[in-house]
Amino acid sequence: NAGVTQTPKFQVLKTGQSMTLQCAQDMNHEYMSWYRQDPGMGLRLIHYSVGAGITDQGEVPNGYNVSRSTTEDFPLRLLSAAPSQTSVYFCASSSNRGRIYGYTFGSGTRLTVV
Amino acid sequence: RKEVEQDPGPFNVPEGATVAFNCTYSNSASQSFFWYRQDCRKEPKLLMSVYSSGNEDGRFTAQLNRASQYISLLIRDSKLSDSATYLCVVNKMNNNAGNMLTFGGGTRLMVKP
């Protein structure tokens, strides 16, 4: 089915470990974003990309890196995991008409850092 | 002050009731407006866009007041399946021509039999 695919669905990390959250979409969307969702905080933008080779920081970028080598993939890297990064992470994509049609979200990655 | 504010609820209503949620946004540069629905432990899903003239989709009606920077969602004839968290979302184009969504914290609705 067309959509946004995130892997893994669940992950437990030890403090200081690094890992990459994967995100892929097959809708040829230009825009892709990573959000984190914490209780009482709503979804907050981490990084976003307006196309292959172009990325920029969102509201809460510290501790995360991204790259966009292809239109389809937008991985999020945690450089040195901290307990404060325990959260649910959502990847989202949109066509360049996203301001009208909104975003499509992946099913999320639940990350726990111990 | 949060850029998009919502009453977190919960709103507890009986089946068949009409319920309304409100949302205010602070950035006058916001260009597009949406309501998303999020079920427990699931991803947000687009419920409806919100247009300046107001729009309706079945039992759901959305209104936008740009002057007051206020968005509303009305649900008529509530169903048990409407129980979820409703997220108010605004979209603005940033200087890099990016599409940036800002989410409210969500309003939780619980529809009881």
Side-chain angles (χ1 to χ4, degrees):
Chain A
N1 291 335
V4 179
T5 302
Q6 286 185 239
T7 56
K9 292 192 182 301
F10 302 94
Q11 184 70 49
V12 178
L13 288 179
K14 293 183 179 179
T15 297
Q17 287 184 316
S18 62
M19 79 159 294
T20 299
L21 308 186
Q22 301 292 344
C23 176
Q25 52 91 9
D26 57 4
M27 298 172 284
N28 201 32
H29 282 171
E30 296 90 346
Y31 296 97
M32 296 186 76
S33 304
W34 276 101
Y35 291 84
R36 60 178 288 174
Q37 186 173 33
D38 303 292
M41 299 291 292
L43 283 92
R44 293 180 292 168
L45 181 64
I46 304 171
H47 285 284
Y48 66 97
S49 169
V50 300
I54 306 170
T55 64
D56 206 346
Q57 297 181 350
E59 180 185 356
V60 288
N62 291 341
Y64 307 95
N65 273 357
V66 292
S67 60
R68 184 98 179 268
S69 57
T70 66
T71 299
E72 294 78 20
D73 299 300
F74 190 43
L76 177 72
R77 283 182 289 279
L78 278 71
L79 308 174
S80 177
S84 61
Q85 293 179 304
T86 294
S87 187
V88 181
Y89 291 85
F90 290 103
C91 179
S93 75
S94 170
S95 70
N96 61 2
R97 294 173 295 172
R99 62 194 175 109
I100 299 174
Y101 296 108
Y103 273 49
T104 300
F105 283 83
S107 59
T109 295
R110 295 185 176 276
L111 176 68
T112 302
V113 182
V114 298
Chain B
R1 182 187 173 191
K2 290 183 183 178
E3 204 164 325
V4 180
E5 297 213 52
Q6 295 181 251
D7 181 344
F11 285 58
N12 294 295
V13 303
E15 262 188 300
T18 295
V19 61
F21 307 137
N22 302 320
C23 165
T24 58
Y25 62 96
S26 60
N27 192 327
S28 59
S30 300
Q31 297 182 330
S32 304
F33 309 89
F34 307 94
W35 284 100
Y36 277 73
R37 171 193 169 126
Q38 187 173 25
D39 293 292
C40 188
R41 302 178 74 83
K42 298 288 189 180
E43 72 273 23
K45 292 185 177 178
L46 181 64
L47 178 66
M48 60 195 301
S49 301
V50 186
Y51 303 122
S52 297
S53 55
N55 49 299
E56 188 173 306
D57 183 1
R59 298 181 292 108
F60 299 85
T61 300
Q63 297 278 352
L64 168 64
N65 185 323
R66 286 188 183 269
S68 301
Q69 297 182 193
Y70 170 96
I71 305 162
S72 66
L73 177 68
L74 182 77
I75 305 175
R76 291 181 298 277
D77 189 22
S78 298
K79 312 292 185 189
L80 295 177
S81 57
D82 293 334
S83 297
T85 296
Y86 291 83
L87 306 174
C88 175
V89 184
V90 303
N91 189 10
K92 62 186 179 191
M93 296 295 287
N94 70 3
N95 291 334
N96 293 324
N99 239 334
M100 298 186 70
L101 296 181
T102 303
F103 287 78
T107 298
R108 188 175 174 202
L109 172 66
M110 299 178 67
V111 181
K112 306 287 189 178

